Amino acid sequence: MSKTALELLAPARNVQTGIAAIDCGADAVYIAGPDFGARKAAGNSFEDIGELCAYAHRFGAKVFVTFNTIIYDEEIESAHSQMLRAQECGADAFIIRDERICGWEDIVVPLHASTQCAIRDIQRARHFEALGCSRIILERELSLQQVKEISAAVSCEVEFFVHGALCVGYSGECRLSQYLDGRSADRGECIQACRSLYALVDSEGKVLVRNKALLSLKDYNLKNRLEDLAQAGVISFKIEGRLKNPSYVKNITRDYSLALDALCQKDPERWCRASYGTVKGGFEPDSAKTFNRGYTELWIDGRRGRWSSMDAPKSMGEFIGTIRSIRPRPEGKGNYDMEIAIDPANRSVVLHNGDGFAFSTRDGVTGFRGDVCEGLRIFCKTVPDIYKGARLFRNINSNFEKLLETQQCHREISVSLDVRIYKEYMIDIKATTEDGRTVVSSFNADVDTAENRDRAEAMLRDNLNKRSGHLNFRLDNLEIGTPGKSMPLLSASTINSMRRLVADDIGREPFGSGQTVKTPRGGTAPEVSRLHLTTEPESKSLPLLRSKYCIRYELGMCPVHQNAPQSGPLFLINSGRKLELHFDCGKCEMSVTQAQK
């Protein structure tokens, strides 16, 4: 049975973040070009894409470039030319939404159907496979059973999100941002309306809930479900976050890379990693210490849970304890206004100068910086609305951030060396990398014979068994075929120079997974696929969003699961804008529409 290569796919806001993700163990990264990526604030030049591709291909890692926004008819040629440029830069695949792309014969790298394509059933999965997509990226609001059924129904690769922020609406079908502010999520300009504060009112205008982020979800975390997903047919495990900072990407990527390593080690005959190299050094990852709104596994088990982060639409971080007392600044404590003491959540809580803290109030979340922390006491400026008994969270761990910055991971490809020394001191060094590249480098050592053969051999071994850039050399075999088994007298600098030349020869040998290959398409795309932005009359006939999330369930008002009495119409109000909620209990779905006046 052949092994299945499992891929950890990390976000790259820019080339530096992409390189950091690869160093931390990502098998692939996804990045936007100048335009047409679903995060408008995360565009990149083709020069940067080329640099990232060159770095990734050292390890057999891949770079996927996003073209997953709605493309207007007048932009189609620009999108086409940008894809050709990205392809020339070494892009390994394109993440797409517009079906017209599938018909372009000069786009020869694989195409991946974006989650924006709203693939959540077998019919839609087969549709994109038939268009020639070599991979489909499934909707997040699916159960494990649904993932398994879709995977079994197609022959293309299946990708699934495993970590990061969750949109409340089905991907590719949310028009809330466009309706409220004129900026479309389908064009990479989402205003994150799901993180805004709303009031919930009934048909009589009675306020049931006030100033809550009623559409805000916790963050996804399926680190403990990777094996379940792999058994269901998923081969690519995707981390959300192309707007996240490098420390977030490094921490989460390292965390999931270690989890995938453990899975592959558990059943090495079945699974392996999709790229090569070993990550050395670095830090101990901890997803609780990085931006999060609390974590959820959403619908993966096909049942409802508490998914909302309505009290904390921003990052709360890790719970560290309860505020025991608040006092004015003690004498001699510098330019601070108050002292806050906490009862820790556990004995392991340690506070650091510069930590960031957060707590909930009736109006949302308040954050503040702990300028000086001594033991379990925090000295800081005045914090509005802080109160005794508040549950305190740490959303910036300054000590952990320093570790992420200073304890860098680096990645190495192992290289075995077979060295043969002939008469006249001709030396052949055969180098074989762990990914299967082999080169033979020859040298003519016009040097004296060593008086101490053992010492000369030891020097050769010591100086060949070293790192050179991202290559980690290991001398496995040394054969000496000279008269009397004499050894050349090679200096350390000469041996180091030979090792660097071997590294250069390896670098010129192409890495198979970095090559552009023609991918056969499974069918032909329609000549025109009108995927333009929906504006007024058409959008009025569609909900602003549909979701597996349900406000009634979160508030204990569900007539199906919680035996609550049937309620009348419910509405959300934000800055005078009124939205109507609809509940399809048969499908266990909620939708949001513009309220009728």
PDB file of all heavy atoms in Angstrom, residues 33-36 46 66-67 69 71-86 94 100-101 104 107 187:
ATOM      1  N   GLY A  33      -1.274  37.339  -4.894  1.00  0.00           N
ATOM      2  CA  GLY A  33      -0.498  38.205  -5.752  1.00  0.00           C
ATOM      3  C   GLY A  33      -0.946  39.643  -5.548  1.00  0.00           C
ATOM      4  O   GLY A  33      -1.537  39.989  -4.515  1.00  0.00           O
ATOM      5  N   PRO A  34      -0.708  40.513  -6.529  1.00  0.00           N
ATOM      6  CA  PRO A  34      -1.084  41.919  -6.365  1.00  0.00           C
ATOM      7  C   PRO A  34      -2.591  42.125  -6.212  1.00  0.00           C
ATOM      8  O   PRO A  34      -3.024  43.029  -5.500  1.00  0.00           O
ATOM      9  CB  PRO A  34      -0.574  42.572  -7.659  1.00  0.00           C
ATOM     10  CG  PRO A  34       0.494  41.667  -8.160  1.00  0.00           C
ATOM     11  CD  PRO A  34       0.062  40.280  -7.772  1.00  0.00           C
ATOM     12  N   ASP A  35      -3.396  41.303  -6.882  1.00  0.00           N
ATOM     13  CA  ASP A  35      -4.857  41.475  -6.851  1.00  0.00           C
ATOM     14  C   ASP A  35      -5.532  40.109  -6.791  1.00  0.00           C
ATOM     15  O   ASP A  35      -4.886  39.072  -6.895  1.00  0.00           O
ATOM     16  CB  ASP A  35      -5.343  42.209  -8.109  1.00  0.00           C
ATOM     17  CG  ASP A  35      -4.678  43.559  -8.289  1.00  0.00           C
ATOM     18  OD1 ASP A  35      -4.892  44.436  -7.440  1.00  0.00           O
ATOM     19  OD2 ASP A  35      -3.937  43.726  -9.280  1.00  0.00           O
ATOM     20  N   PHE A  36      -6.860  40.139  -6.601  1.00  0.00           N
ATOM     21  CA  PHE A  36      -7.733  38.970  -6.736  1.00  0.00           C
ATOM     22  C   PHE A  36      -7.579  37.938  -5.614  1.00  0.00           C
ATOM     23  O   PHE A  36      -8.006  36.801  -5.752  1.00  0.00           O
ATOM     24  CB  PHE A  36      -7.535  38.286  -8.100  1.00  0.00           C
ATOM     25  CG  PHE A  36      -7.652  39.222  -9.261  1.00  0.00           C
ATOM     26  CD1 PHE A  36      -6.555  39.547 -10.037  1.00  0.00           C
ATOM     27  CD2 PHE A  36      -8.879  39.807  -9.562  1.00  0.00           C
ATOM     28  CE1 PHE A  36      -6.664  40.431 -11.102  1.00  0.00           C
ATOM     29  CE2 PHE A  36      -9.002  40.694 -10.625  1.00  0.00           C
ATOM     30  CZ  PHE A  36      -7.882  41.010 -11.401  1.00  0.00           C
ATOM     31  N   PHE A  46       5.111  40.022  -7.617  1.00  0.00           N
ATOM     32  CA  PHE A  46       5.559  38.771  -8.229  1.00  0.00           C
ATOM     33  C   PHE A  46       7.002  38.451  -7.836  1.00  0.00           C
ATOM     34  O   PHE A  46       7.378  37.283  -7.753  1.00  0.00           O
ATOM     35  CB  PHE A  46       5.411  38.844  -9.747  1.00  0.00           C
ATOM     36  CG  PHE A  46       3.982  38.901 -10.190  1.00  0.00           C
ATOM     37  CD1 PHE A  46       3.466  40.041 -10.788  1.00  0.00           C
ATOM     38  CD2 PHE A  46       3.132  37.832  -9.981  1.00  0.00           C
ATOM     39  CE1 PHE A  46       2.140  40.105 -11.180  1.00  0.00           C
ATOM     40  CE2 PHE A  46       1.798  37.879 -10.366  1.00  0.00           C
ATOM     41  CZ  PHE A  46       1.309  39.025 -10.965  1.00  0.00           C
ATOM     42  N   THR A  66      -3.486  32.738  -4.516  1.00  0.00           N
ATOM     43  CA  THR A  66      -4.944  32.869  -4.460  1.00  0.00           C
ATOM     44  C   THR A  66      -5.486  33.795  -5.544  1.00  0.00           C
ATOM     45  O   THR A  66      -5.006  34.914  -5.721  1.00  0.00           O
ATOM     46  CB  THR A  66      -5.380  33.401  -3.087  1.00  0.00           C
ATOM     47  OG1 THR A  66      -4.746  34.670  -2.854  1.00  0.00           O
ATOM     48  CG2 THR A  66      -4.978  32.449  -1.976  1.00  0.00           C
ATOM     49  N   PHE A  67      -6.482  33.300  -6.257  1.00  0.00           N
ATOM     50  CA  PHE A  67      -7.279  34.086  -7.199  1.00  0.00           C
ATOM     51  C   PHE A  67      -8.747  33.755  -6.914  1.00  0.00           C
ATOM     52  O   PHE A  67      -9.473  33.289  -7.776  1.00  0.00           O
ATOM     53  CB  PHE A  67      -6.918  33.753  -8.644  1.00  0.00           C
ATOM     54  CG  PHE A  67      -5.602  34.343  -9.085  1.00  0.00           C
ATOM     55  CD1 PHE A  67      -4.408  33.694  -8.817  1.00  0.00           C
ATOM     56  CD2 PHE A  67      -5.565  35.556  -9.755  1.00  0.00           C
ATOM     57  CE1 PHE A  67      -3.197  34.239  -9.208  1.00  0.00           C
ATOM     58  CE2 PHE A  67      -4.352  36.115 -10.154  1.00  0.00           C
ATOM     59  CZ  PHE A  67      -3.167  35.460  -9.875  1.00  0.00           C
ATOM     60  N   THR A  69     -11.330  35.727  -5.511  1.00  0.00           N
ATOM     61  CA  THR A  69     -12.396  36.716  -5.420  1.00  0.00           C
ATOM     62  C   THR A  69     -13.307  36.602  -6.635  1.00  0.00           C
ATOM     63  O   THR A  69     -12.976  35.935  -7.622  1.00  0.00           O
ATOM     64  CB  THR A  69     -11.832  38.148  -5.393  1.00  0.00           C
ATOM     65  OG1 THR A  69     -11.118  38.385  -6.604  1.00  0.00           O
ATOM     66  CG2 THR A  69     -10.920  38.368  -4.209  1.00  0.00           C
ATOM     67  N   ILE A  71     -14.414  37.960  -9.990  1.00  0.00           N
ATOM     68  CA  ILE A  71     -13.670  38.723 -10.996  1.00  0.00           C
ATOM     69  C   ILE A  71     -14.671  39.344 -11.958  1.00  0.00           C
ATOM     70  O   ILE A  71     -15.469  38.634 -12.592  1.00  0.00           O
ATOM     71  CB  ILE A  71     -12.680  37.817 -11.751  1.00  0.00           C
ATOM     72  CG1 ILE A  71     -11.687  37.163 -10.766  1.00  0.00           C
ATOM     73  CG2 ILE A  71     -11.911  38.622 -12.811  1.00  0.00           C
ATOM     74  CD1 ILE A  71     -10.775  36.135 -11.403  1.00  0.00           C
ATOM     75  N   TYR A  72     -14.649  40.660 -12.078  1.00  0.00           N
ATOM     76  CA  TYR A  72     -15.539  41.341 -13.019  1.00  0.00           C
ATOM     77  C   TYR A  72     -15.117  41.014 -14.448  1.00  0.00           C
ATOM     78  O   TYR A  72     -13.945  40.721 -14.729  1.00  0.00           O
ATOM     79  CB  TYR A  72     -15.484  42.846 -12.813  1.00  0.00           C
ATOM     80  CG  TYR A  72     -16.028  43.339 -11.493  1.00  0.00           C
ATOM     81  CD1 TYR A  72     -15.571  44.532 -10.937  1.00  0.00           C
ATOM     82  CD2 TYR A  72     -17.007  42.638 -10.796  1.00  0.00           C
ATOM     83  CE1 TYR A  72     -16.069  45.016  -9.736  1.00  0.00           C
ATOM     84  CE2 TYR A  72     -17.507  43.105  -9.597  1.00  0.00           C
ATOM     85  CZ  TYR A  72     -17.033  44.290  -9.073  1.00  0.00           C
ATOM     86  OH  TYR A  72     -17.530  44.751  -7.880  1.00  0.00           O
ATOM     87  N   ASP A  73     -16.068  41.111 -15.370  1.00  0.00           N
ATOM     88  CA  ASP A  73     -15.779  40.815 -16.778  1.00  0.00           C
ATOM     89  C   ASP A  73     -14.626  41.656 -17.306  1.00  0.00           C
ATOM     90  O   ASP A  73     -13.764  41.162 -18.038  1.00  0.00           O
ATOM     91  CB  ASP A  73     -17.021  41.046 -17.637  1.00  0.00           C
ATOM     92  CG  ASP A  73     -18.116  40.026 -17.361  1.00  0.00           C
ATOM     93  OD1 ASP A  73     -17.792  38.970 -16.768  1.00  0.00           O
ATOM     94  OD2 ASP A  73     -19.270  40.266 -17.726  1.00  0.00           O
ATOM     95  N   GLU A  74     -14.585  42.934 -16.926  1.00  0.00           N
ATOM     96  CA  GLU A  74     -13.537  43.819 -17.441  1.00  0.00           C
ATOM     97  C   GLU A  74     -12.174  43.548 -16.798  1.00  0.00           C
ATOM     98  O   GLU A  74     -11.159  44.095 -17.234  1.00  0.00           O
ATOM     99  CB  GLU A  74     -13.930  45.287 -17.236  1.00  0.00           C
ATOM    100  CG  GLU A  74     -14.111  45.715 -15.795  1.00  0.00           C
ATOM    101  CD  GLU A  74     -15.535  45.545 -15.285  1.00  0.00           C
ATOM    102  OE1 GLU A  74     -16.299  44.740 -15.884  1.00  0.00           O
ATOM    103  OE2 GLU A  74     -15.882  46.207 -14.290  1.00  0.00           O
ATOM    104  N   GLU A  75     -12.138  42.690 -15.771  1.00  0.00           N
ATOM    105  CA  GLU A  75     -10.876  42.371 -15.098  1.00  0.00           C
ATOM    106  C   GLU A  75     -10.302  41.022 -15.522  1.00  0.00           C
ATOM    107  O   GLU A  75      -9.217  40.647 -15.086  1.00  0.00           O
ATOM    108  CB  GLU A  75     -11.091  42.338 -13.578  1.00  0.00           C
ATOM    109  CG  GLU A  75     -11.514  43.649 -12.967  1.00  0.00           C
ATOM    110  CD  GLU A  75     -11.887  43.494 -11.505  1.00  0.00           C
ATOM    111  OE1 GLU A  75     -12.422  42.436 -11.133  1.00  0.00           O
ATOM    112  OE2 GLU A  75     -11.645  44.440 -10.731  1.00  0.00           O
ATOM    113  N   ILE A  76     -11.017  40.306 -16.352  1.00  0.00           N
ATOM    114  CA  ILE A  76     -10.650  38.926 -16.613  1.00  0.00           C
ATOM    115  C   ILE A  76      -9.278  38.814 -17.279  1.00  0.00           C
ATOM    116  O   ILE A  76      -8.493  37.915 -16.977  1.00  0.00           O
ATOM    117  CB  ILE A  76     -11.740  38.205 -17.448  1.00  0.00           C
ATOM    118  CG1 ILE A  76     -11.609  36.688 -17.313  1.00  0.00           C
ATOM    119  CG2 ILE A  76     -11.758  38.672 -18.881  1.00  0.00           C
ATOM    120  CD1 ILE A  76     -11.972  36.160 -15.961  1.00  0.00           C
ATOM    121  N   GLU A  77      -8.943  39.739 -18.185  1.00  0.00           N
ATOM    122  CA  GLU A  77      -7.644  39.690 -18.844  1.00  0.00           C
ATOM    123  C   GLU A  77      -6.514  40.001 -17.863  1.00  0.00           C
ATOM    124  O   GLU A  77      -5.427  39.419 -17.945  1.00  0.00           O
ATOM    125  CB  GLU A  77      -7.609  40.654 -20.030  1.00  0.00           C
ATOM    126  CG  GLU A  77      -8.423  40.180 -21.226  1.00  0.00           C
ATOM    127  CD  GLU A  77      -8.003  38.775 -21.669  1.00  0.00           C
ATOM    128  OE1 GLU A  77      -6.789  38.507 -21.737  1.00  0.00           O
ATOM    129  OE2 GLU A  77      -8.894  37.945 -21.934  1.00  0.00           O
ATOM    130  N   SER A  78      -6.775  40.932 -16.956  1.00  0.00           N
ATOM    131  CA  SER A  78      -5.769  41.241 -15.943  1.00  0.00           C
ATOM    132  C   SER A  78      -5.514  40.039 -15.046  1.00  0.00           C
ATOM    133  O   SER A  78      -4.366  39.714 -14.715  1.00  0.00           O
ATOM    134  CB  SER A  78      -6.220  42.437 -15.102  1.00  0.00           C
ATOM    135  OG  SER A  78      -5.311  42.699 -14.062  1.00  0.00           O
ATOM    136  N   ALA A  79      -6.595  39.348 -14.652  1.00  0.00           N
ATOM    137  CA  ALA A  79      -6.433  38.147 -13.826  1.00  0.00           C
ATOM    138  C   ALA A  79      -5.639  37.086 -14.582  1.00  0.00           C
ATOM    139  O   ALA A  79      -4.756  36.424 -14.013  1.00  0.00           O
ATOM    140  CB  ALA A  79      -7.800  37.603 -13.424  1.00  0.00           C
ATOM    141  N   HIS A  80      -5.943  36.924 -15.858  1.00  0.00           N
ATOM    142  CA  HIS A  80      -5.247  35.934 -16.681  1.00  0.00           C
ATOM    143  C   HIS A  80      -3.750  36.231 -16.742  1.00  0.00           C
ATOM    144  O   HIS A  80      -2.912  35.342 -16.544  1.00  0.00           O
ATOM    145  CB  HIS A  80      -5.862  35.934 -18.084  1.00  0.00           C
ATOM    146  CG  HIS A  80      -5.424  34.782 -18.928  1.00  0.00           C
ATOM    147  ND1 HIS A  80      -5.861  34.588 -20.216  1.00  0.00           N
ATOM    148  CD2 HIS A  80      -4.563  33.745 -18.680  1.00  0.00           C
ATOM    149  CE1 HIS A  80      -5.298  33.505 -20.719  1.00  0.00           C
ATOM    150  NE2 HIS A  80      -4.509  32.984 -19.801  1.00  0.00           N
ATOM    151  N   SER A  81      -3.405  37.478 -17.030  1.00  0.00           N
ATOM    152  CA  SER A  81      -1.984  37.833 -17.143  1.00  0.00           C
ATOM    153  C   SER A  81      -1.262  37.694 -15.804  1.00  0.00           C
ATOM    154  O   SER A  81      -0.095  37.285 -15.760  1.00  0.00           O
ATOM    155  CB  SER A  81      -1.840  39.256 -17.679  1.00  0.00           C
ATOM    156  OG  SER A  81      -2.393  40.208 -16.782  1.00  0.00           O
ATOM    157  N   GLN A  82      -1.955  38.006 -14.695  1.00  0.00           N
ATOM    158  CA  GLN A  82      -1.323  37.852 -13.384  1.00  0.00           C
ATOM    159  C   GLN A  82      -1.088  36.376 -13.064  1.00  0.00           C
ATOM    160  O   GLN A  82      -0.071  36.019 -12.449  1.00  0.00           O
ATOM    161  CB  GLN A  82      -2.171  38.517 -12.306  1.00  0.00           C
ATOM    162  CG  GLN A  82      -2.124  40.029 -12.341  1.00  0.00           C
ATOM    163  CD  GLN A  82      -2.660  40.671 -11.077  1.00  0.00           C
ATOM    164  OE1 GLN A  82      -2.611  40.074  -9.991  1.00  0.00           O
ATOM    165  NE2 GLN A  82      -3.156  41.894 -11.189  1.00  0.00           N
ATOM    166  N   MET A  83      -1.990  35.512 -13.481  1.00  0.00           N
ATOM    167  CA  MET A  83      -1.794  34.079 -13.256  1.00  0.00           C
ATOM    168  C   MET A  83      -0.599  33.568 -14.063  1.00  0.00           C
ATOM    169  O   MET A  83       0.192  32.755 -13.572  1.00  0.00           O
ATOM    170  CB  MET A  83      -3.059  33.311 -13.609  1.00  0.00           C
ATOM    171  CG  MET A  83      -4.225  33.596 -12.685  1.00  0.00           C
ATOM    172  SD  MET A  83      -5.709  32.642 -13.065  1.00  0.00           S
ATOM    173  CE  MET A  83      -5.331  31.096 -12.260  1.00  0.00           C
ATOM    174  N   LEU A  84      -0.446  34.049 -15.268  1.00  0.00           N
ATOM    175  CA  LEU A  84       0.708  33.644 -16.083  1.00  0.00           C
ATOM    176  C   LEU A  84       2.011  34.099 -15.427  1.00  0.00           C
ATOM    177  O   LEU A  84       2.998  33.356 -15.418  1.00  0.00           O
ATOM    178  CB  LEU A  84       0.574  34.217 -17.496  1.00  0.00           C
ATOM    179  CG  LEU A  84      -0.536  33.609 -18.367  1.00  0.00           C
ATOM    180  CD1 LEU A  84      -0.668  34.387 -19.672  1.00  0.00           C
ATOM    181  CD2 LEU A  84      -0.265  32.132 -18.647  1.00  0.00           C
ATOM    182  N   ARG A  85       2.014  35.323 -14.892  1.00  0.00           N
ATOM    183  CA  ARG A  85       3.210  35.811 -14.207  1.00  0.00           C
ATOM    184  C   ARG A  85       3.524  34.961 -12.983  1.00  0.00           C
ATOM    185  O   ARG A  85       4.689  34.590 -12.744  1.00  0.00           O
ATOM    186  CB  ARG A  85       3.003  37.265 -13.766  1.00  0.00           C
ATOM    187  CG  ARG A  85       3.098  38.302 -14.872  1.00  0.00           C
ATOM    188  CD  ARG A  85       4.545  38.547 -15.328  1.00  0.00           C
ATOM    189  NE  ARG A  85       5.430  38.887 -14.242  1.00  0.00           N
ATOM    190  CZ  ARG A  85       5.563  40.094 -13.708  1.00  0.00           C
ATOM    191  NH1 ARG A  85       4.800  41.104 -14.159  1.00  0.00           N
ATOM    192  NH2 ARG A  85       6.423  40.334 -12.737  1.00  0.00           N
ATOM    193  N   ALA A  86       2.500  34.664 -12.189  1.00  0.00           N
ATOM    194  CA  ALA A  86       2.711  33.851 -10.987  1.00  0.00           C
ATOM    195  C   ALA A  86       3.193  32.458 -11.355  1.00  0.00           C
ATOM    196  O   ALA A  86       4.033  31.861 -10.666  1.00  0.00           O
ATOM    197  CB  ALA A  86       1.428  33.771 -10.172  1.00  0.00           C
ATOM    198  N   PHE A  94      -3.056  27.257  -8.170  1.00  0.00           N
ATOM    199  CA  PHE A  94      -3.860  28.446  -7.978  1.00  0.00           C
ATOM    200  C   PHE A  94      -5.140  28.061  -7.239  1.00  0.00           C
ATOM    201  O   PHE A  94      -5.785  27.065  -7.574  1.00  0.00           O
ATOM    202  CB  PHE A  94      -4.224  29.093  -9.314  1.00  0.00           C
ATOM    203  CG  PHE A  94      -3.044  29.661 -10.050  1.00  0.00           C
ATOM    204  CD1 PHE A  94      -2.794  29.302 -11.371  1.00  0.00           C
ATOM    205  CD2 PHE A  94      -2.183  30.547  -9.432  1.00  0.00           C
ATOM    206  CE1 PHE A  94      -1.708  29.813 -12.051  1.00  0.00           C
ATOM    207  CE2 PHE A  94      -1.085  31.070 -10.105  1.00  0.00           C
ATOM    208  CZ  PHE A  94      -0.851  30.702 -11.419  1.00  0.00           C
ATOM    209  N   ARG A 100     -14.338  30.325 -15.146  1.00  0.00           N
ATOM    210  CA  ARG A 100     -13.756  30.621 -16.453  1.00  0.00           C
ATOM    211  C   ARG A 100     -12.272  30.257 -16.505  1.00  0.00           C
ATOM    212  O   ARG A 100     -11.742  29.921 -17.557  1.00  0.00           O
ATOM    213  CB  ARG A 100     -13.946  32.104 -16.790  1.00  0.00           C
ATOM    214  CG  ARG A 100     -15.374  32.482 -17.121  1.00  0.00           C
ATOM    215  CD  ARG A 100     -15.534  33.985 -17.277  1.00  0.00           C
ATOM    216  NE  ARG A 100     -15.470  34.679 -15.985  1.00  0.00           N
ATOM    217  CZ  ARG A 100     -15.715  35.983 -15.828  1.00  0.00           C
ATOM    218  NH1 ARG A 100     -16.038  36.721 -16.887  1.00  0.00           N
ATOM    219  NH2 ARG A 100     -15.657  36.539 -14.650  1.00  0.00           N
ATOM    220  N   ILE A 101     -11.629  30.317 -15.376  1.00  0.00           N
ATOM    221  CA  ILE A 101     -10.194  30.025 -15.316  1.00  0.00           C
ATOM    222  C   ILE A 101      -9.906  28.599 -15.769  1.00  0.00           C
ATOM    223  O   ILE A 101      -8.863  28.314 -16.359  1.00  0.00           O
ATOM    224  CB  ILE A 101      -9.672  30.272 -13.880  1.00  0.00           C
ATOM    225  CG1 ILE A 101      -9.767  31.756 -13.530  1.00  0.00           C
ATOM    226  CG2 ILE A 101      -8.241  29.768 -13.708  1.00  0.00           C
ATOM    227  CD1 ILE A 101      -9.504  32.069 -12.066  1.00  0.00           C
ATOM    228  N   TRP A 104      -8.658  27.959 -19.447  1.00  0.00           N
ATOM    229  CA  TRP A 104      -7.455  28.584 -20.005  1.00  0.00           C
ATOM    230  C   TRP A 104      -6.362  27.540 -20.183  1.00  0.00           C
ATOM    231  O   TRP A 104      -5.770  27.060 -19.204  1.00  0.00           O
ATOM    232  CB  TRP A 104      -6.970  29.716 -19.105  1.00  0.00           C
ATOM    233  CG  TRP A 104      -7.951  30.859 -19.035  1.00  0.00           C
ATOM    234  CD1 TRP A 104      -8.961  31.128 -19.907  1.00  0.00           C
ATOM    235  CD2 TRP A 104      -8.018  31.862 -18.020  1.00  0.00           C
ATOM    236  NE1 TRP A 104      -9.648  32.245 -19.524  1.00  0.00           N
ATOM    237  CE2 TRP A 104      -9.103  32.726 -18.368  1.00  0.00           C
ATOM    238  CE3 TRP A 104      -7.288  32.134 -16.872  1.00  0.00           C
ATOM    239  CZ2 TRP A 104      -9.450  33.831 -17.597  1.00  0.00           C
ATOM    240  CZ3 TRP A 104      -7.628  33.233 -16.104  1.00  0.00           C
ATOM    241  CH2 TRP A 104      -8.696  34.079 -16.456  1.00  0.00           C
ATOM    242  N   ILE A 107      -2.767  27.987 -18.605  1.00  0.00           N
ATOM    243  CA  ILE A 107      -2.581  27.827 -17.160  1.00  0.00           C
ATOM    244  C   ILE A 107      -2.395  26.341 -16.909  1.00  0.00           C
ATOM    245  O   ILE A 107      -3.344  25.555 -16.996  1.00  0.00           O
ATOM    246  CB  ILE A 107      -3.785  28.369 -16.368  1.00  0.00           C
ATOM    247  CG1 ILE A 107      -3.999  29.856 -16.680  1.00  0.00           C
ATOM    248  CG2 ILE A 107      -3.598  28.150 -14.881  1.00  0.00           C
ATOM    249  CD1 ILE A 107      -2.809  30.745 -16.332  1.00  0.00           C
ATOM    250  N   ARG A 187     -14.928  40.455  -2.622  1.00  0.00           N
ATOM    251  CA  ARG A 187     -13.870  41.215  -3.290  1.00  0.00           C
ATOM    252  C   ARG A 187     -12.707  41.471  -2.339  1.00  0.00           C
ATOM    253  O   ARG A 187     -11.855  42.317  -2.593  1.00  0.00           O
ATOM    254  CB  ARG A 187     -14.430  42.540  -3.787  1.00  0.00           C
ATOM    255  CG  ARG A 187     -15.489  42.407  -4.868  1.00  0.00           C
ATOM    256  CD  ARG A 187     -14.882  42.095  -6.212  1.00  0.00           C
ATOM    257  NE  ARG A 187     -14.162  43.256  -6.735  1.00  0.00           N
ATOM    258  CZ  ARG A 187     -13.453  43.250  -7.848  1.00  0.00           C
ATOM    259  NH1 ARG A 187     -13.353  42.143  -8.561  1.00  0.00           N
ATOM    260  NH2 ARG A 187     -12.832  44.329  -8.254  1.00  0.00           N
TER     261      ARG A 187
END
